[in-house]
Amino acid sequence: EAQVTQNPRYLITVTGKKLTVTCSQNMNHEYMSWYRQDPGLGLRQIYYSMNVEVTDKGDVPEGYKVSRKEKRNFPLILESPSPNQTSLYFCATALAGGWNEQFFGPGTRLTVL
Amino acid sequence: DQQVKQNSPSLSVQEGRISILNCDYTNSMFDYFLWYKKYPAEGPTFLISISSIKDKNEDGRFTVFLNKSAKHLSLHIVPSQPGDSAVYFCAASDLGNDMRFGAGTRLTVKP
């Protein structure tokens, strides 16, 4: 079954404590991306990756890091989380390029106290 | 700046009637438009798309209309069903690698 998985699904943490949200896909897609969803703002892109070792900033990259060492995985790293990073995070993949249909993971609800 | 705007946060319609969800955009470079549907506790799922070379695309009960001169698109659902109750996101791309989403419209279809 084609799927995008994210872990953890829910996380409560404290300011400054480094965390990683993992994203994995089994569709052999070239393109992967991270979004955050906030009320009234919709989905905003954080980072995206066109292929292994190729990443680029989206609209709201500040405070986040990513890496793409393998095609299937695209972890999102918060080196020093702050309360304004409390949000619902989605990983998404696309066959080739972010302009076409994207497949989303189930989301990770992050709360930073 | 929000380049894709969905000005109606919510919409309520009766089962069997038409639902019309609207979306406006400001960037004239956008060439490809998509609608996604999102249920609670799930990720968005792709619904329908349209290229800027068309003004209409239909898939079953779902039709998307594009008016490039007005920078406006709409999603029509006919007939609406209770299972269509969800949040709908409009998205636009300039055929590059980023996609811009609207804030979403929550559709409620009443039995």
Side-chain angles (χ1 to χ4, degrees), chain A residues 58-72:
Chain A
D59 278 342
V60 287
E62 297 78 18
Y64 304 94
K65 284 175 59 176
V66 292
S67 69
R68 188 94 181 270
K69 293 185 170 57
E70 308 165 274
K71 197 172 188 179
R72 62 181 291 123

Side-chain angles (χ1 to χ4, degrees), chain A residues 9-10 31 35 37-38 40-45 48 50 58-59 88 90 96-107, chain B residues 1-3 32-34 36 38 41-47 87 89 92-104:
Chain A
R9 293 290 312 276
Y10 302 91
Y31 178 94
Y35 295 89
Q37 183 189 355
D38 301 290
L41 297 176
L43 291 156
R44 293 180 294 165
Q45 190 174 49
Y48 63 90
M50 284 301 299
D59 278 342
L88 180 57
F90 290 101
W99 60 270
N100 61 357
E101 176 189 351
Q102 296 190 20
F103 297 82
F104 284 81
Chain B
D1 65 328
Q2 281 225 268
Q3 298 185 37
Y32 197 70
F33 304 88
L34 307 91
Y36 286 83
K38 185 184 179 305
E42 295 182 11
T45 55
F46 170 74
L47 189 58
V87 176
F89 290 100
S93 169
D94 60 2
L95 297 182
N97 290 307
D98 61 345
M99 188 171 291
R100 302 298 177 107
F101 286 81

Side-chain angles (χ1 to χ4, degrees), chain A residues 36 44-47 57-65 76-78 80 82 84-85 89:
Chain A
R36 60 179 287 175
R44 293 180 294 165
Q45 190 174 49
I46 303 170
Y47 270 95
K57 295 178 180 178
D59 278 342
V60 287
E62 297 78 18
Y64 304 94
K65 284 175 59 176
L76 179 69
I77 303 154
L78 285 71
S80 183
S82 61
N84 65 11
Q85 292 178 297
Y89 291 86

Side-chain angles (χ1 to χ4, degrees), chain B residues 21-64:
Chain B
L21 294 91
N22 293 304
C23 178
D24 297 293
Y25 62 95
T26 57
N27 188 342
S28 57
M29 298 299 290
F30 287 147
D31 267 333
Y32 197 70
F33 304 88
L34 307 91
W35 285 93
Y36 286 83
K37 176 176 169 178
K38 185 184 179 305
Y39 292 119
E42 295 182 11
T45 55
F46 170 74
L47 189 58
I48 193 169
S49 62
I50 188 167
S51 162
S52 61
I53 62 173
K54 295 186 174 182
D55 55 16
K56 177 183 173 181
N57 188 27
E58 197 170 347
D59 183 1
R61 297 185 296 113
F62 302 91
T63 303
V64 56

